[in-house]
Amino acid sequence: SSQNLSEEFAEAARQLKKEAPRIQFGKIDVTHQHDLRKEFNIQTFPTVKFFVNGSRKDPIDCKGVRQASAFITWVKRRTGPSTVLINSTDQAEAIIKADDLAVIGFFREHHNDSVEVFCETARDVPEMPFGMTASEDVCANYGIQKNTIVVFKKGKPVHHEVLEDGRQDKLSLTRLIKTFTLDLVTEYNIETSVKIFDVPVENHILLFTPMNSDTFNVIYENYKSAAAEFRGKILFVLVDTNEARNGRVFEYFRIRDIDVPAVRILNLTSDAKYKMPADEVTVENLKEFCQSYLNGKAKLHLPSEEIPEDWDKMPVKVLVGKNFNSIVF
């Protein structure tokens, strides 16, 4: 909520006042400041922007940051180094074990394109510590030979991403790393919905199923297997159709009881919805659906009511999803 974010923002301001008095925090109620709202193109609330060097041109958007600690880290990484330089295995271990999640970049040298992309990514992911090393000993200790990013969860490596110079971009790396703040499959509810939208992955796949059904465990395992393959590209969400509070989500996707288990893909930017062509929720069917979607070959799903019998009797024809294409195009 706005109220909660406002409190966390104020807490960050209090803490940074001691540590970095140069950084000023301000709050604007744009309901009374229409000119400012227009100048900075404020569409959603709350919006946080960071102004650098006294310029009101091109402020940096601070998106998806909700905790005071993350605000502080975000600001510090914008005004100073974004990663910790690691010179020893002990230092690496300390960073890996200090938090639930940690990201370490292992590089052959201190300066190259991959290092640059890694440091920029660290600025946008304040939820976890970032360290980097070009020490041969440290790299050898973790068995790493190429430029590689490793994500550690609870002290154990859970993902290796080999970086090739000039082939990586900050956005896809940010997306990938941010997904580790969620489970591989995230169950949709009031608490998780906020976190789901904070991860900047615009493609979401949703599995609608009653969680107490006999087939649930098998379907869930299949869904999880497919999720591992598309991490960072498609976010896997689970919606329990027995949960009454999820009613609005079923309505939005026009899911009925007889449709479940059902699988849909939603593109958050265009709001386009896609239906998995196969009925069985198998690993193969899920992978095929996701891959065809990413290749731009999935068919748009237009839920439709039946075509009225008298749709063409009057000068103004009645169109529904089912006859829209054939009549209009």
Side-chain angles (χ1 to χ4, degrees):
S1 72
S2 280
Q3 182 55 38
N4 196 354
L5 190 103
S6 193
E7 285 164 15
E8 293 287 330
F9 188 69
E11 179 52 37
R14 270 197 293 278
Q15 289 186 32
L16 274 172
K17 195 168 183 167
K18 299 184 196 100
E19 288 181 53
R22 278 177 47 247
I23 298 163
Q24 303 286 322
F25 280 66
K27 194 161 76 168
I28 296 168
D29 179 358
V30 286
T31 45
H32 307 300
Q33 304 282 344
H34 296 296
D35 293 353
L36 287 176
R37 183 175 174 175
K38 201 170 159 192
E39 181 184 347
F40 299 115
N41 191 24
I42 308 296
Q43 310 274 351
T44 55
F45 302 101
T47 292
V48 178
K49 287 183 184 280
F50 186 50
F51 294 84
V52 186
N53 296 334
S55 164
R56 58 198 291 158
K57 282 207 176 353
D58 303 323
I60 303 160
D61 275 319
C62 178
K63 285 191 184 120
V65 178
R66 293 179 187 277
Q67 258 81 40
S69 57
F71 270 124
I72 291 166
T73 304
W74 190 90
V75 169
K76 280 183 175 173
R77 288 184 189 173
R78 289 273 162 198
T79 53
S82 60
T83 65
V84 176
L85 203 55
I86 295 169
N87 297 313
S88 70
T89 304
D90 286 351
Q91 201 187 351
E93 283 298 303
I95 290 173
I96 290 161
K97 289 181 174 151
D99 278 273
D100 256 10
L101 287 164
V103 185
I104 309 287
F106 297 88
F107 299 102
R108 309 304 296 157
E109 55 199 347
H110 282 296
H111 301 287
N112 60 30
D113 288 354
S114 299
V115 172
E116 190 70 27
V117 170
F118 180 71
C119 292
E120 281 185 19
T121 302
R123 287 191 189 116
D124 282 341
V125 190
E127 296 87 348
M128 51 190 97
F130 275 66
M132 62 171 271
T133 187
S135 151
E136 282 184 31
D137 291 350
V138 179
C139 290
N141 183 66
Y142 292 94
I144 287 165
Q145 278 138 17
K146 295 177 174 167
N147 290 339
T148 304
I149 289 176
V150 182
V151 180
F152 292 85
K153 197 162 192 169
K154 298 197 181 344
K156 294 189 172 59
V158 288
H159 185 82
H160 284 68
E161 187 76 12
V162 176
L163 299 185
E164 291 170 35
D165 257 11
R167 295 270 310 273
Q168 243 63 35
D169 68 288
K170 184 192 79 162
L171 188 58
S172 57
L173 208 54
T174 303
R175 280 182 183 139
L176 175 70
I177 292 171
K178 278 250 193 191
T179 61
F180 287 94
T181 60
L182 297 171
D183 295 328
L184 198 50
V185 170
T186 307
E187 189 194 332
Y188 181 89
N189 57 41
I190 302 301
E191 291 78 48
T192 61
S193 64
V194 174
K195 288 182 179 174
I196 289 168
F197 290 111
D198 279 346
V199 174
V201 176
E202 65 170 2
N203 308 313
H204 289 188
I205 187 169
L206 300 97
L207 166 63
F208 294 87
T209 184
M211 283 171 69
N212 63 353
S213 75
D214 301 340
T215 54
F216 175 71
N217 286 345
V218 174
I219 288 174
Y220 183 68
E221 284 310 313
N222 291 346
Y223 197 56
K224 240 166 106 169
S225 295
E229 207 146 308
F230 294 97
R231 183 152 220 163
K233 296 186 179 81
I234 302 177
L235 210 58
F236 278 62
V237 179
L238 169 69
V239 184
D240 184 3
T241 54
N242 278 345
E243 174 54 72
R245 283 178 299 189
N246 290 338
R248 279 174 60 192
V249 188
F250 314 145
E251 264 172 49
Y252 180 67
F253 285 91
R254 303 233 181 137
I255 302 280
R256 300 161 302 171
D257 287 343
I258 57 163
D259 295 328
V260 301
V263 179
R264 300 284 187 273
I265 283 178
L266 169 69
N267 179 296
L268 295 188
T269 308
S270 66
D271 226 18
K273 302 175 192 71
Y274 302 81
K275 178 184 179 180
M276 185 165 78
D279 289 331
E280 297 278 303
V281 185
T282 63
V283 179
E284 278 317 301
N285 288 342
L286 287 162
K287 281 187 187 175
E288 206 168 297
F289 179 38
C290 290
Q291 202 50 63
S292 75
Y293 168 75
L294 291 174
N295 295 345
K297 296 204 164 70
K299 268 211 195 100
L300 260 178
H301 179 51
L302 303 164
S304 175
E305 54 203 271
E306 291 309 315
I307 301 168
E309 279 176 27
D310 57 355
W311 72 271
D312 62 347
K313 296 280 186 291
M314 304 297 279
V316 176
K317 312 298 177 203
V318 178
L319 299 179
V320 293
K322 279 183 181 166
N323 69 350
F324 186 87
N325 264 355
S326 56
I327 306 305
V328 177
F329 301 113

